[in-house]
Amino acid sequence: MRSGPRVLVFPAYRDNPFLNLLQLAGTAAGYRIEGANTYDDLMRAARTLNRGDVVHLHWTTPILQQAQTRAAAERRLRAVRRLLERMRERGVRLLWTVHNRLPHELTFRELEIELMGEVASHADLIHIMAPHTPAALADIVRLDPEKVRILPHPSYEGVYDTGLGQDAARASFSLAPRDLAVLFLGQIRPYKGVDALVGAAAAAAARRDDRDVRLLVAGAVKEMSREDFAATIPPGLAAATHLDFVPDGDIARWFAAADVAVFPYRAILNSGSVHLAATFRVPVVLPADPHLERQFAGEPWVAFFDPARPAESLADLLADPALFAGVTAESFDAFLGPISPWETSRRYAALLAELTAESSRALSA
């Protein structure tokens, strides 16, 4: 394997399976994948890159939103603008993956929008994971269609241990066959609307006489205490919770036990959680955002709630005995087939080759 161009990934979260999956084929092709996690690390490392190397920008939060003051954020913005200009002069390429409309932790909104404009202007290619992304960001930043490349979020096939059967998984939560296990797995944060799901599960439990509703909630609690969140679960609602980070080795158990996964987000652009649920063949409920409805149109394993009345709408769905009737493991095959981890990684390597055509030719010589 020959040594090829450097690819500086920012931020390079080592425990993020999405990043690890994406880079497989590029690493095998000889690209030298490197990482930076902080603003200072990014600025130092990017200055060492040469013609044909790549900066792959994912989440922008560490750049401005982790500055201590607005003045510091403004200085960072000016420094990043100069960095992007000098990168272009040196022939360093910029790839931007759009994960969110805006960072979830947003202190300096106007400056963040200005930064996104600079990144969009200087980017050589812009990677989006859903066709609706340019329209969803239109009021914030224009994404040049000539630069845009659509590469869907990969599935997680083969990533997590799936040796645990459904019966054993359900038994670990003391679930009976008649129980309807409703799962939320992920960080518990205000924008994710978990409070609406709690209320909906309690309401649905009171309305169903054919099945007992059991709520499964797993994930670290952010922006409030675990105790405060736990107190929002009504005493009469049967619930199993793990209010902390879920180890990779335990993720399969939660999904294998679930009948439905609910993602009651108040704001969403892309969600790896949907692909994770699909990998485990668990039907999902999403907000009825017009873009999401088009993206998942015709998928029998996806249902939508009304974000204008989330608790009531979710309760109606969870109380409906016909919800996901007829959905089988095979119902997910058409969705999962084209987004296997290796296929997605191979297409990512093709993006790198497009960016570094001269270096790519040297690799294959």
Side-chain angles (χ1 to χ4, degrees):
M1 184 173 69
R2 300 188 182 184
S3 180
R6 296 166 63 194
V7 179
L8 178 64
V9 177
F10 178 84
Y13 302 133
R14 294 193 177 187
D15 61 350
N16 187 301
F18 168 82
L19 295 181
N20 295 331
L21 293 175
L22 206 61
Q23 296 161 12
L24 291 172
T27 301
Y31 290 95
R32 292 176 287 165
I33 309 294
E34 304 172 4
N37 283 336
T38 68
Y39 163 79
D40 290 335
D41 289 344
L42 171 66
M43 300 300 286
R44 281 193 296 267
R47 294 187 183 109
T48 70
L49 299 178
N50 299 307
R51 180 171 299 277
D53 293 334
V54 178
V55 170
H56 186 173
L57 177 63
H58 286 273
W59 300 273
T60 58
T61 299
I63 297 176
L64 301 185
Q65 302 309 317
Q66 292 179 1
Q68 296 301 306
T69 65
R70 181 180 179 86
E74 290 172 344
R75 288 194 295 272
R76 287 186 174 196
L77 179 58
R78 290 193 295 271
V80 169
R81 183 183 296 116
R82 290 194 298 270
L83 176 69
L84 296 177
E85 291 169 352
R86 290 168 183 168
M87 282 170 46
R88 174 170 289 177
E89 291 169 358
R90 298 202 313 272
V92 177
R93 315 305 297 276
L94 177 62
L95 171 62
W96 179 29
T97 292
V98 183
H99 288 271
N100 305 303
R101 265 177 50 88
L102 287 166
H104 302 306
E105 300 87 5
L106 192 59
T107 303
F108 310 112
R109 188 178 192 277
E110 297 82 5
L111 296 180
E112 186 70 29
I113 292 174
E114 191 172 346
L115 172 64
M116 292 175 69
E118 292 288 345
V119 172
S121 173
H122 285 86
D124 295 284
L125 291 180
I126 300 173
H127 164 214
I128 64 174
M129 289 178 273
H132 64 260
T133 299
L137 269 69
D139 61 326
I140 297 173
V141 63
R142 178 182 180 273
L143 304 183
D144 183 348
E146 296 297 319
K147 299 179 179 180
V148 168
R149 303 292 184 271
I150 301 176
L151 178 57
H153 194 295
S155 75
Y156 292 93
E157 294 278 6
V159 176
Y160 296 101
D161 178 21
T162 56
L164 186 68
Q166 183 183 57
D167 291 343
R170 290 177 70 86
S172 74
F173 292 103
S174 300
L175 293 170
R178 66 172 273 125
D179 289 338
L180 177 72
V182 179
L183 173 66
F184 174 87
L185 189 146
Q187 287 189 350
I188 299 167
R189 306 171 69 178
Y191 83 90
K192 294 194 174 184
V194 185
D195 55 336
L197 173 58
V198 171
R207 290 163 56 181
R208 293 196 72 150
D209 54 14
D210 61 323
R211 302 190 73 178
D212 296 326
V213 175
R214 290 282 305 274
L215 181 63
L216 309 180
V217 177
V221 181
K222 302 291 185 180
E223 295 150 66
M224 67 186 300
S225 71
R226 298 177 191 175
E227 293 75 18
D228 286 344
F229 174 76
T232 67
I233 300 176
L237 175 61
T241 63
H242 176 78
L243 304 182
D244 203 347
F245 174 78
V246 181
D248 287 351
D250 197 36
I251 285 177
R253 182 173 68 96
W254 289 84
F255 278 99
D259 294 295
V260 55
V262 180
F263 302 107
Y265 301 149
R266 296 189 175 100
I268 181 175
L269 181 62
N270 303 290
S271 175
S273 297
V274 175
H275 294 72
L276 185 58
T279 299
F280 287 103
R281 274 67 175 178
V282 177
V284 303
V285 178
L286 298 173
D289 176 280
H291 301 305
L292 292 178
E293 289 180 309
R294 284 194 293 272
Q295 182 180 357
F296 293 101
E299 296 291 354
W301 51 273
V302 180
F304 298 95
F305 70 90
D306 182 355
R309 41 188 293 275
E312 298 86 348
S313 180
L314 283 168
D316 290 342
L317 288 170
L318 296 177
D320 182 1
L323 180 66
F324 298 124
V327 172
T328 66
E330 290 72 28
S331 302
F332 298 83
D333 290 348
F335 174 77
L336 293 170
I339 59 169
S340 69
W342 181 252
E343 174 60 21
T344 303
S345 182
R346 189 189 63 78
R347 292 176 61 186
Y348 171 67
L351 286 185
L352 295 180
E354 182 179 354
L355 282 169
T356 62
E358 182 177 343
S359 298
S360 181
R361 283 193 295 272
L363 275 174
S364 60

